[in-house]
Structure formats: C-alpha cells, structure tokens
C-alpha cells in the first residue's frame, strides 16, 4: 500500500500545517475577538485529528516510500495586516483546509479498499469536522469582505 | 398602603391550578396627588422591563404624576412592580433633561437649534456617502424605542442608505433568545404564553432571576406556588436567588452550576431524558429532525460527569431531570444567566430540545418563554433595526429581499443582503478602525453597558468617528458625542411595543416633551427629509408622518409572516388589553400560544434562517437546508460543552459575573432618577461568598478592589449568597448619579472588567464569564449599598438594616376577576 501511506502522511502533515496556520491567524488578528477564539478552537480540532491518526499510523510505515514532488503545501508563517489582510489570510486557511478535506476523502476511500475500519472512521469523522472548519471560514469571509473591499480604513 | 420597596411582589392572591389569575390593581401617585385629583388617565404599558405591564399614566396640570395598573390587561391583571410604580414618571420632570440640541464646538458641547444640529449630521452623512458609500454609516439603537421608530430606521438604513451596519443594545440582552428560536423553530417568536403559568406542574427557570428581573411575572408564579396544587420550581442559578429559595420551598431543586458550565448541565439533563425513556419517540419522529445526532452529543454527560464539570451534585441533576421528565406539563423560562454566558445559543437551544423531546409545546402549561431584557427588544428584532430583516425575513433568501424591495419600491440591490447584518460588537470594531465614520446611537448608553468599557469610550472619542447621540439625558455616551439630539420619552410620544409574550400595547402621548425635545420618530423623519431619500418612482421613500401611519406601514410588511400584525390597528389597541400577535384574518383576537398544530416555520422558503453550526457559528447553506427537507419539523441541535474563554488562574483566581438588581434598570437613566429606587440600591457593590470573604479578610461593607486583565473597580463588598469562587457585580452604575459621584468613587463600572467576546451564533457578548481577583482596600463604615430584599441579601440574615422606604402605594384585589381574551382558564 505504498501510496496510501503517502496519503496518511499527507493527512498528518497537512493537518499540522492547518493547525499551525489557524494559530498564526488567531495570534496575528487577536484584536478580532471572534477570529482569535474560533481559530484557536479550530486548530484544536486539527490537533485532535492527528492524535487519532497517530493510533493507526504505524500500520502504514510512512518512511519507506518516495513521496511525489511538491506534496506539501506551505502554511501561513506570517499573517497579513488589516482588514484586507485578514480576508486574504482566511482565504489561505480555506485553501489549506480544502487540501485537508480532499486528503481525508481519498484516505477514506482507500481505507474502505483495504478494509481498515478504524482508519475509515477516523478519516470520515475528521472529514466532517474539516467541512465545519471550511464552513466557518466561508461564513467569516463573507462577513468581512464587503467592508474590507468597499470601505477599508482611511489611508 | 404598601411600601413596595420593602414588599417587591405585593400581596399574594393564591389560586388553584387551572384557574384564572385574580386581578389586583396597583397604583402610585407622586407628591401627595390623590386619585380624584388626577386630570386624565392615559393608556400605556410599563417600559421598565420586558414584562410589558398594561398601565394608565396619571396626568395633572400637564405633568405625569403617577401610574396605575390596568385590571383588564392580559399581561399583569392590574399589577405593577416597584420599578413601574416608582420609576415610570419622575425622570420626565427631572431638571437635567435635555431640552435643546447640542453640538461640539472647540471640544465642548454647546446648545444650538435643530437646524444647525441636524444640518451637521446631514452634511457629514452626505459627504461620507459621496466619498465612501453607505458602509461608512452605523446605527446603534435600543430595546426601548417604539415599533414605529425601529421600522422607520430600518427603512432608512436598508432602503435609503443601504448599510448593513445596524444593531441594537438588544444584542446585549435578547439576541440569544432570537437566535435560539431561529435555530430550533426556523424563526423568531415566543412559543409559550404567560397563561402557561396557570396550567403547569413545574417551572424551570434557567439563568433567570425572575423575582428581580420581571417582578410582576414572579408574583404570578408565587400566586400559583402559594395556591392549591402548586407547581414545583427548579432554579438554575449560581446565586441563591429568591427563585432558588422558592425551588427549595416547593420541593423542587436549586442547581448552581459553576459560572460558565451551563451547557454541560443541559447536556446532562437531556441525556437523562433519553436514559429514562422520558422521550416521546413517536412525537419526536413526526415533528423533529436530529434526534440521533443529539443523543450522540449528550452521551458523555452522565450525572457524575456533570457533577465533575459543574459542581452540581449528580443526585440533584437526576432529581431535576426526573421533575422535567415526569411532570405532565412543564414551563421553562430562560434569561441572561444563559444568554450572557459563553455557549449561549447552544444552552438556550438545549431548553427547546428538552421540550421537543417530550413533545411539550403548543398546549397550555407546556411552554417555553425565552425572555427579553428590555421592554421593546422584541420589536427591534421584528422590525429589522437590529440585524434582522423586517417581518422575520431571511436575508439569505432572495424572495424575501424581493418582497421588501417591492414594498419599499426600491432596487433589491440597495438592500444590503450580501452578508449577514453587522452585529453591535462588529459595528464598534469597524468604528474602532474608523471604517465606520458616522455612528448614530439612539436611546442607549454603550459607554456604560458594553463590555470592556474603556475600549468603548476610546472608540466614541475618536476624532475620525462622527458620533450622533439621541437621548433624554446627557448620558456618559452623549458626553462623548459630536451632536446630541434631545428626545421625547415614554408618555411624551405615541407608539406601540411588544412584550416577551408577543403582546402588543399602544402607549399614548400623555404630556408634551420638555423644551425642544422631539420624538425619536420625528427626529428620524427630519433626517430622512433632509437626506431626500426617494423610491424608484421618485417619491419620498418614507411616506408616513404620524406614528399611526408608520404603524400601518409596518403592519403591511408583516402580511403572511409569522409575526403578522395585519389584524391590528391603533383603534383595536385602545381596547381593554394588549393583544398578542399573530393577529390576522384567521386570528382576529390574537394568539395566546404558537405551534398548537406542531408545525414550525422551518420550511426552506419560509424560515428566517437556514441555521448555524452552534459551535463555530458557520452558516448552513440554502442547499444544505433544503436537502434536510425540514417542512415544518423543528430542529434538535446539540453541542459539546467547552470551557469558558477565560478561566480562573493563579493571578485571577475568582470568577466574575455581572447582573442586575430589582430596583434599577439598564444604566439607571430613568430608575436612578426616582428617589425611592435610587435609595434602595444607591451605589455599586460586589457580592462575595462567606468562605471567599473570610479567606480574603473582607467583612461586610469593606471597600475592595476587583480586577480583571482589562480593568478594575473599587466598590463595597456584600458578604452574600453567591457560590464560592464567584464574584457578582451589578452592571447599572456609571459615572452619573442623582446625588453626584465624587471623582474617587467613579471606579464602579462593572463592565471595566468584562471581555470583548461573543457567542458564535447570537453574537451576544459574554458578560457573565471572566476571571478576577479581589483585594481589600480599606475598612468600610457600614453595610454595602446592596438591597437586602433580593438575591443580594447578606449571608447572615438580619445582620444589616432591611431595605425599605418606598412611599405609600395603593393596591387592592378585585372581587370579580375580569374576563381575559384567549385565557385558557376562562374558556368554557
Ligand atoms: S414587571 Fe416590568 S413592566 Fe411590570 S411594572 Fe415592573 S418594571 Fe414595569
């Protein structure tokens, strides 16, 4: 199962990137109280997915395979400033979360194929929570966009 | 004659289950005026809490001199409480009323005429529209205006300007009530009725100290608990309130969960219903969605787990759940203890879940009352001046937006529906960044009432933000404004408003406003005229001139919506009683309770919202909603408990929670100007438990400093009834006082300590959960200025002098109880 292990590794890695990026956005936009608290909460969800995955990851020994090039997406090392910056950061989180979500989708398919019920359940549960992360990002971007794009702060 | 400061609830009129609540007429006249001296009685309803007691205003020599309860009104059957009796009229003739507009000149507010003041507002408004468009305008209103005013403002904002930035201080008090209704039932609207009190076997009060917040409603409950076949009371409150005492007396339960753990308790109660088979599975299958998901969410919350999280004994959780599960009819009421805590919407929705699981809704005695804080909060929600759309319309449903556009004859694109309407906290956030540059505040005092008040004051003081304040007095907020507009108050203008119970009252003008003060409606019309808002045919957008015309315009847009006012008119409201909506052809006399047919307004094309993730606030899309095919079924929605945003730590070891007292309302602009109410609770205080006070070396009346990471207050300590580990502070006290406040006594504003954080769904700020530390500053020289008659009573009974001193007030029980429309106790 060489490529399933690659994708289990990708799930783990991309969840970590997403969690770190959520935390970076929380800290960087701490004056937006809801962004601060919600991003921390959602980072915790990604952490929890990784913890659950860790219980089965041994079965798929990650290190033997040669990974395809440019497998991993970069996280948000630094956040942007201001209202438009927040909007862009939320968009970046959205991209990272989408990668996580589609990764869980394909891991779930493969888990079915190899009849690993445990992995299947983990992938499905995590996928559901990833969609909830994405839904929040959608909602928050929609709320932020008009003011950021049309008015913005006086320069 | 009674002292209604000492006797908050008045004489008992006990009666048996299923019988009508007797009538008792309460009356108070000021300055030795006798009943026969009164020139005129003018019909109204009390505006000092959300109960909406029907009353008549006494007028003598062109002044309001007192108030009398209306025996025939369905809400109060003649009764009034201390605030209504003593606080309704004195403010009106207070010498510090605003009587002329003010504008800021060289850093100072100076008197001017209306033309100049409004001229400045309009000039700024037009300039901003030209430069940066309508999103530069924000409106922050109240829970104390009338329907006619909210609706006019909604049309100005949504169809004239086109700004989504409009909210009320209702965000601080009732937003969760509306949000919880929308999540469970698809639309706002109080399902139950006060008449449920006469028919229930148990009353659950969740975070609702009704004995102080709605004193007349509590009297209605006391008249049942003192009569034959009484209901049991279950009280969820971290303080030992009068409600908690009544719970013990009636064989119910007092659950005192740790501040910030409501949802864990609710999940525990819900789990018990499933475990013991108290779920009406057939009813649930026919009328709800989400049963299995809810069952899974609550599964971990065993009574023992609840005890671990909340500190409430597992046996009490079991007992409370059994009362809920086994009583034939339960009435639930909910207020700020839930709404102003974190996970507010999820905890309030959980109350609905309990009722839905037992199929206990839509029949007498089995109701839910999600309460409101303020008297007209309901109308702000209905009319759309608060971040909702008029008539409980769904901003995400293009058809609903189209209906409004055609009613107003404007381009639908003018109506800001591309994003959710902006909530109050976000409006202030935009003002902080000067992205909103005109902030218009009506009839509310955010400098005192919003969380983290030092931040709010700095926003209001920003030179880039043009602040307009419309009020009765030069409040702490008005002092920071660029233009102050003097408003007419209750009794000085005509309009309608709706209480918690959906009951609509007409409040008629009794006297002329002082000086040049104008009604809020007239002020808004003046602005609309000057801005020259037009519809698609070039006619004035706002076609009405009088309150009655505004009401008729409002009625028209409610047609076919859950909040249907089409069958109401000023004429009809001049009858013996207020009338509960919906009032339409099918229900010409109004509607006592909703959902008697178990059909809920959840249909995708009809609902007010498609719903939200209760944990994150993420919005459900139309397609997702449609795929669920709710078709009139209610939603059961659950969420796991999460710890509060700020938990006690080594530096801040205590929990800080805020609330109100029976004698004051809001920031005391009215009640603080009534001598008897002022003196009953003359200054701020904090309440500490006996063990905490002992370990901190604090005795009754000592001056203490209470600090959170955001600010501090210095007030006197009451060693009282709060639970160990928690500190309670009343939120009414700012820098204004009837007797003046010495500069060194100004540090008493409870919201200096609270956090800027809000519920993900209702966006209601979390006033009830923060961490703090308390240190003694100096010895006191007498007891704390806290009342003894309420939840603020000292731990040791009799250790401080009793609160009393209300001037004589009349009260008599009627031998013949009037007939009340729609009252199930009187239906033959
Ligand atoms: S209960 Fe509320 S509405 Fe009734 S008199 Fe008291 S303050 Fe007024």
């Amino acid at each position: 199962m060489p490529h399933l292990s690659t994708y289990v590794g990708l799930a783990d890695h991309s969840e970590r990137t997403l969690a770190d990026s959520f935390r970076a956005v929380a800290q960087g936009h701490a004056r937006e109280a809801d962004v601060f608290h919600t991003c921390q909460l959602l980072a915790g969800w990604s952490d929890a997915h990784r913890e659950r995955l860790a219980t089965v990851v041994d079965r798929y020994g990650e290190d033997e395979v040669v990974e395809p090039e440019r497998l991993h997406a970069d996280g948000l090392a630094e956040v942007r400033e201001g209202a438009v910056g927040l909007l862009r950061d939320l968009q970046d989180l959205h991209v990272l979360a989408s990668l996580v979500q589609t990764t869980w989708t394909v891991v779930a398919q493969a888990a079915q194929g190899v009849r690993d019920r445990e992995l299947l359940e983990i992938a499905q549960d995590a996928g559901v929570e990833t969609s909830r992360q994405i839904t929040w990002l959608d909602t928050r971007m929609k709320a932020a966009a008009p003011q950021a794009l049309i008015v913005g702060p006086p320069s | 004659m009674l002292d209604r400061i000492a006797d908050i609830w008045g004489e008992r009129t006990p009666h048996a289950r299923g019988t009508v609540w007797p009538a008792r007429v309460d009356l108070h006249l000021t300055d030795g005026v006798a009943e026969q001296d009164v020139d005129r009685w003018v019909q109204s309803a009390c505006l000092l809490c959300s109960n909406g007691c029907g009353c008549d205003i006494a007028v003598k020599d062109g002044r309001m001199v007192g108030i009398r309860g209306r025996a025939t009104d369905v809400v109060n059957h003649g009764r009034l409480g201390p605030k209504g009796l003593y606080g309704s009229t004195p403010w009106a003739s207070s010498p510090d009323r605003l009587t002329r507009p003010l504008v800021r000149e060289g850093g100072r507010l100076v008197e001017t005429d209306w033309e100049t003041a409004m001229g400045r507002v309009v000039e700024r408004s037009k300039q901003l529209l030209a430069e940066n468009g309508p999103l530069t305008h924000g409106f922050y209103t109240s829970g104390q205006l009338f329907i006619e005013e909210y609706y006019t403002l909604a049309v100005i904002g949504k169809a004239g300007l086109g700004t989504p930035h409009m909210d009320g201080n209702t965000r601080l008090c009732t937003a969760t009530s509306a949000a919880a209704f929308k999540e469970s039932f698809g639309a706002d609207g109080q399902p139950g009725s006060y008449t449920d009190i006469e028919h229930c076997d148990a009353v659950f009060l969740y975070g609702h100290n009704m004995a102080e917040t709605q004193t007349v409603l509590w009297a209605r409950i006391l008249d049942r608990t003192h009569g034959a076949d009484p209901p049991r009371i279950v009280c969820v409150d971290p303080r030992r309130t009068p409600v908690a005492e009544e719970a013990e007396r009636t064989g119910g339960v007092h659950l005192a969960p740790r501040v910030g753990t409501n949802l864990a308790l609710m999940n525990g109660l819900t789990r018990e219903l499933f475990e013991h088979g108290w779920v009406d599975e057939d009813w649930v299958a026919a009328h709800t969605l989400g049963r299995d998901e809810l069952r899974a969410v609550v599964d971990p919350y065993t009574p023992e787990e609840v005890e671990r999280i909340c500190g409430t004994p597992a046996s009490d959780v079991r007992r409370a759940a059994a009362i809920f599960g086994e009583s034939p009819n339960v009435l639930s009421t909910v207020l700020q203890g839930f709404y102003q805590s974190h996970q507010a919407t999820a905890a309030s929705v959980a109350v609905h879940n309990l009722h839905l699981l037992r199929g206990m809704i839509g029949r007498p005695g089995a109701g839910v009352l999600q309460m409101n804080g303020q008297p007209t909060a309901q109308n702000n929600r209905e009319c759309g001046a608060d971040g909702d759309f008029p008539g409980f319309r769904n901003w995400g449903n293009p058809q609903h937006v189209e209906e409004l556009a055609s009613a107003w004859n404007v381009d639908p694109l003018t109506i800001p529906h591309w994003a959710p309407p902006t909530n109050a906290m976000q409006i202030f956030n935009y003002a902080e960044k000067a992205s909103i540059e005109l902030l218009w505040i009506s009839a509310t005092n955010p400098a005192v009432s919003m969380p983290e008040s030092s931040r709010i004051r700095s926003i209001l003081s920003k030179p880039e933000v043009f602040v307009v304040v419309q009020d009765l007095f030069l409040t702490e907020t008005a002092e920071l404004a660029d233009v102050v507009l003097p408003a007419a108050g209750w009794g000085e203008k005509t309009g309608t408003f709706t209480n918690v119970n959906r009951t609509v009252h007409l409040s008629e003008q009794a006297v002329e406003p002082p000086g040049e003060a104008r009604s809020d409606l007239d002020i808004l019309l003046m602005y609309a005229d000057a801005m020259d808002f037009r519809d698609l045919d070039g006619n004035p957008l706002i076609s009405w001139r009088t309150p009655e015309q505004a009401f008729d315009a409002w009625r028209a847009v409610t047609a076919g919506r859950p909040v249907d006012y089409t069958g109401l008119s000023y004429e009809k409201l001049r009858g013996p009683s207020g009338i509960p909506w919906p009032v339409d052809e099918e229900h010409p006399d109004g509607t006592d309770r909703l959902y008697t047919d178990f059909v809920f307004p959840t249909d995708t094309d009809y609902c007010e919202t498609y719903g939200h993730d209760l944990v994150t606030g993420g919005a459900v899309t139309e397609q997702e909603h449609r795929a669920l095919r709710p078709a009139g079924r209610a939603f059961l929605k659950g969420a796991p408990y999460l710890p509060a945003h700020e938990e006690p730590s080594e530096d801040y070891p205590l929990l800080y929670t805020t609330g109100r007292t029976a004698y004051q309302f809001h920031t005391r602009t009215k009640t603080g100007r009534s001598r008897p109410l002022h003196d009953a609770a003359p200054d701020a205080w904090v309440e500490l438990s006996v063990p905490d006070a002992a370990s901190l070396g604090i005795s009754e009346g000592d001056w203490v400093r209470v600090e959170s990471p955001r600010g501090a207050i210095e007030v006197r300590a009451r060693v009282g009834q709060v639970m160990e580990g928690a500190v309670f502070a009343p939120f009414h006290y700012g820098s204004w006082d009837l007797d003046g406040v010495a500069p060194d006594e100004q540090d008493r504003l409870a919201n200096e300590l609270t956090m800027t954080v809000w519920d993900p769904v209702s966006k209601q700020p979390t006033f009830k959960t923060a961490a703090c530390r308390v240190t003694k500053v100096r010895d006191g020289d007498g007891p704390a200025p806290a009342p003894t008659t309420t939840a603020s009573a000292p731990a040791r009974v009799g250790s401080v002098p009793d609160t009393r001193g209300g001037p004589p007030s009349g009260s008599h029980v009627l031998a013949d109880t009037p007939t009340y429309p729609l009252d199930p106790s009187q239906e033959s």
Side-chain angles (χ1 to χ4, degrees), chain B residues 457-471:
Chain B
R457 284 194 301 272
S458 84
I459 294 171
L460 295 172
S461 315
K462 280 179 100 74
E464 306 93 303
V465 183
F466 187 80
V467 177
V468 183
V469 171
Q470 181 173 321
D471 213 314

PDB file of all heavy atoms in Angstrom, chain B residues 457-471:
ATOM      1  N   ARG B 457     -15.233  53.704  25.302  1.00  0.00           N
ATOM      2  CA  ARG B 457     -15.076  55.160  25.444  1.00  0.00           C
ATOM      3  C   ARG B 457     -14.035  55.685  24.466  1.00  0.00           C
ATOM      4  O   ARG B 457     -14.210  56.747  23.872  1.00  0.00           O
ATOM      5  CB  ARG B 457     -14.672  55.516  26.882  1.00  0.00           C
ATOM      6  CG  ARG B 457     -15.820  55.441  27.879  1.00  0.00           C
ATOM      7  CD  ARG B 457     -15.445  56.122  29.204  1.00  0.00           C
ATOM      8  NE  ARG B 457     -14.266  55.519  29.808  1.00  0.00           N
ATOM      9  CZ  ARG B 457     -14.294  54.473  30.631  1.00  0.00           C
ATOM     10  NH1 ARG B 457     -15.453  53.920  30.946  1.00  0.00           N
ATOM     11  NH2 ARG B 457     -13.184  53.983  31.141  1.00  0.00           N
ATOM     12  N   SER B 458     -12.955  54.937  24.267  1.00  0.00           N
ATOM     13  CA  SER B 458     -11.934  55.443  23.349  1.00  0.00           C
ATOM     14  C   SER B 458     -12.442  55.434  21.908  1.00  0.00           C
ATOM     15  O   SER B 458     -12.104  56.315  21.124  1.00  0.00           O
ATOM     16  CB  SER B 458     -10.620  54.684  23.519  1.00  0.00           C
ATOM     17  OG  SER B 458     -10.655  53.505  22.752  1.00  0.00           O
ATOM     18  N   ILE B 459     -13.299  54.468  21.576  1.00  0.00           N
ATOM     19  CA  ILE B 459     -13.881  54.463  20.222  1.00  0.00           C
ATOM     20  C   ILE B 459     -14.779  55.681  20.041  1.00  0.00           C
ATOM     21  O   ILE B 459     -14.713  56.389  19.031  1.00  0.00           O
ATOM     22  CB  ILE B 459     -14.676  53.162  19.977  1.00  0.00           C
ATOM     23  CG1 ILE B 459     -13.736  51.950  19.972  1.00  0.00           C
ATOM     24  CG2 ILE B 459     -15.473  53.236  18.678  1.00  0.00           C
ATOM     25  CD1 ILE B 459     -14.444  50.605  19.954  1.00  0.00           C
ATOM     26  N   LEU B 460     -15.618  55.949  21.053  1.00  0.00           N
ATOM     27  CA  LEU B 460     -16.557  57.066  20.939  1.00  0.00           C
ATOM     28  C   LEU B 460     -15.824  58.406  20.919  1.00  0.00           C
ATOM     29  O   LEU B 460     -16.348  59.402  20.428  1.00  0.00           O
ATOM     30  CB  LEU B 460     -17.558  57.032  22.098  1.00  0.00           C
ATOM     31  CG  LEU B 460     -18.502  55.823  22.118  1.00  0.00           C
ATOM     32  CD1 LEU B 460     -19.308  55.790  23.406  1.00  0.00           C
ATOM     33  CD2 LEU B 460     -19.442  55.856  20.911  1.00  0.00           C
ATOM     34  N   SER B 461     -14.623  58.434  21.445  1.00  0.00           N
ATOM     35  CA  SER B 461     -13.872  59.697  21.489  1.00  0.00           C
ATOM     36  C   SER B 461     -13.020  59.923  20.251  1.00  0.00           C
ATOM     37  O   SER B 461     -12.392  60.965  20.118  1.00  0.00           O
ATOM     38  CB  SER B 461     -12.938  59.708  22.705  1.00  0.00           C
ATOM     39  OG  SER B 461     -13.601  59.254  23.842  1.00  0.00           O
ATOM     40  N   LYS B 462     -12.952  58.936  19.363  1.00  0.00           N
ATOM     41  CA  LYS B 462     -12.071  59.065  18.203  1.00  0.00           C
ATOM     42  C   LYS B 462     -12.469  60.259  17.345  1.00  0.00           C
ATOM     43  O   LYS B 462     -13.635  60.387  16.977  1.00  0.00           O
ATOM     44  CB  LYS B 462     -12.171  57.820  17.322  1.00  0.00           C
ATOM     45  CG  LYS B 462     -11.378  56.645  17.787  1.00  0.00           C
ATOM     46  CD  LYS B 462     -11.584  55.481  16.828  1.00  0.00           C
ATOM     47  CE  LYS B 462     -10.421  55.357  15.869  1.00  0.00           C
ATOM     48  NZ  LYS B 462      -9.231  54.808  16.501  1.00  0.00           N
ATOM     49  N   PRO B 463     -11.537  61.104  16.990  1.00  0.00           N
ATOM     50  CA  PRO B 463     -11.898  62.251  16.151  1.00  0.00           C
ATOM     51  C   PRO B 463     -12.421  61.845  14.772  1.00  0.00           C
ATOM     52  O   PRO B 463     -13.261  62.542  14.191  1.00  0.00           O
ATOM     53  CB  PRO B 463     -10.590  63.039  16.024  1.00  0.00           C
ATOM     54  CG  PRO B 463      -9.510  62.180  16.573  1.00  0.00           C
ATOM     55  CD  PRO B 463     -10.127  61.099  17.389  1.00  0.00           C
ATOM     56  N   GLU B 464     -11.967  60.684  14.245  1.00  0.00           N
ATOM     57  CA  GLU B 464     -12.411  60.282  12.897  1.00  0.00           C
ATOM     58  C   GLU B 464     -13.860  59.828  12.876  1.00  0.00           C
ATOM     59  O   GLU B 464     -14.456  59.752  11.811  1.00  0.00           O
ATOM     60  CB  GLU B 464     -11.570  59.114  12.363  1.00  0.00           C
ATOM     61  CG  GLU B 464     -10.081  59.302  12.362  1.00  0.00           C
ATOM     62  CD  GLU B 464      -9.442  58.753  13.634  1.00  0.00           C
ATOM     63  OE1 GLU B 464      -9.852  59.201  14.737  1.00  0.00           O
ATOM     64  OE2 GLU B 464      -8.552  57.910  13.535  1.00  0.00           O
ATOM     65  N   VAL B 465     -14.401  59.479  14.046  1.00  0.00           N
ATOM     66  CA  VAL B 465     -15.760  58.947  14.053  1.00  0.00           C
ATOM     67  C   VAL B 465     -16.728  60.027  14.532  1.00  0.00           C
ATOM     68  O   VAL B 465     -16.582  60.564  15.624  1.00  0.00           O
ATOM     69  CB  VAL B 465     -15.851  57.700  14.973  1.00  0.00           C
ATOM     70  CG1 VAL B 465     -17.256  57.106  14.913  1.00  0.00           C
ATOM     71  CG2 VAL B 465     -14.821  56.664  14.557  1.00  0.00           C
ATOM     72  N   PHE B 466     -17.679  60.346  13.670  1.00  0.00           N
ATOM     73  CA  PHE B 466     -18.680  61.360  13.979  1.00  0.00           C
ATOM     74  C   PHE B 466     -19.812  60.670  14.736  1.00  0.00           C
ATOM     75  O   PHE B 466     -20.498  59.807  14.182  1.00  0.00           O
ATOM     76  CB  PHE B 466     -19.166  61.961  12.658  1.00  0.00           C
ATOM     77  CG  PHE B 466     -20.083  63.133  12.813  1.00  0.00           C
ATOM     78  CD1 PHE B 466     -19.581  64.410  13.077  1.00  0.00           C
ATOM     79  CD2 PHE B 466     -21.463  62.980  12.656  1.00  0.00           C
ATOM     80  CE1 PHE B 466     -20.428  65.503  13.185  1.00  0.00           C
ATOM     81  CE2 PHE B 466     -22.313  64.066  12.767  1.00  0.00           C
ATOM     82  CZ  PHE B 466     -21.803  65.329  13.032  1.00  0.00           C
ATOM     83  N   VAL B 467     -19.985  61.016  16.009  1.00  0.00           N
ATOM     84  CA  VAL B 467     -20.943  60.307  16.852  1.00  0.00           C
ATOM     85  C   VAL B 467     -22.177  61.182  17.092  1.00  0.00           C
ATOM     86  O   VAL B 467     -22.070  62.322  17.548  1.00  0.00           O
ATOM     87  CB  VAL B 467     -20.301  59.910  18.196  1.00  0.00           C
ATOM     88  CG1 VAL B 467     -21.325  59.225  19.102  1.00  0.00           C
ATOM     89  CG2 VAL B 467     -19.102  58.997  17.971  1.00  0.00           C
ATOM     90  N   VAL B 468     -23.341  60.634  16.745  1.00  0.00           N
ATOM     91  CA  VAL B 468     -24.609  61.311  16.998  1.00  0.00           C
ATOM     92  C   VAL B 468     -25.315  60.549  18.115  1.00  0.00           C
ATOM     93  O   VAL B 468     -25.414  59.327  18.054  1.00  0.00           O
ATOM     94  CB  VAL B 468     -25.510  61.286  15.740  1.00  0.00           C
ATOM     95  CG1 VAL B 468     -26.803  62.052  15.985  1.00  0.00           C
ATOM     96  CG2 VAL B 468     -24.759  61.826  14.541  1.00  0.00           C
ATOM     97  N   VAL B 469     -25.764  61.239  19.139  1.00  0.00           N
ATOM     98  CA  VAL B 469     -26.471  60.569  20.222  1.00  0.00           C
ATOM     99  C   VAL B 469     -27.831  61.236  20.409  1.00  0.00           C
ATOM    100  O   VAL B 469     -27.946  62.457  20.453  1.00  0.00           O
ATOM    101  CB  VAL B 469     -25.676  60.609  21.541  1.00  0.00           C
ATOM    102  CG1 VAL B 469     -26.536  60.109  22.707  1.00  0.00           C
ATOM    103  CG2 VAL B 469     -24.424  59.752  21.421  1.00  0.00           C
ATOM    104  N   GLN B 470     -28.831  60.388  20.511  1.00  0.00           N
ATOM    105  CA  GLN B 470     -30.203  60.838  20.630  1.00  0.00           C
ATOM    106  C   GLN B 470     -30.704  60.265  21.952  1.00  0.00           C
ATOM    107  O   GLN B 470     -30.763  59.049  22.110  1.00  0.00           O
ATOM    108  CB  GLN B 470     -30.915  60.232  19.428  1.00  0.00           C
ATOM    109  CG  GLN B 470     -32.321  60.483  19.205  1.00  0.00           C
ATOM    110  CD  GLN B 470     -32.672  59.887  17.817  1.00  0.00           C
ATOM    111  OE1 GLN B 470     -31.907  59.971  16.862  1.00  0.00           O
ATOM    112  NE2 GLN B 470     -33.813  59.280  17.727  1.00  0.00           N
ATOM    113  N   ASP B 471     -31.006  61.117  22.928  1.00  0.00           N
ATOM    114  CA  ASP B 471     -31.363  60.577  24.254  1.00  0.00           C
ATOM    115  C   ASP B 471     -32.142  61.594  25.068  1.00  0.00           C
ATOM    116  O   ASP B 471     -32.313  62.747  24.655  1.00  0.00           O
ATOM    117  CB  ASP B 471     -30.094  60.136  25.009  1.00  0.00           C
ATOM    118  CG  ASP B 471     -30.362  58.928  25.913  1.00  0.00           C
ATOM    119  OD1 ASP B 471     -31.384  58.938  26.632  1.00  0.00           O
ATOM    120  OD2 ASP B 471     -29.555  57.987  25.908  1.00  0.00           O
TER     121      ASP B 471
END
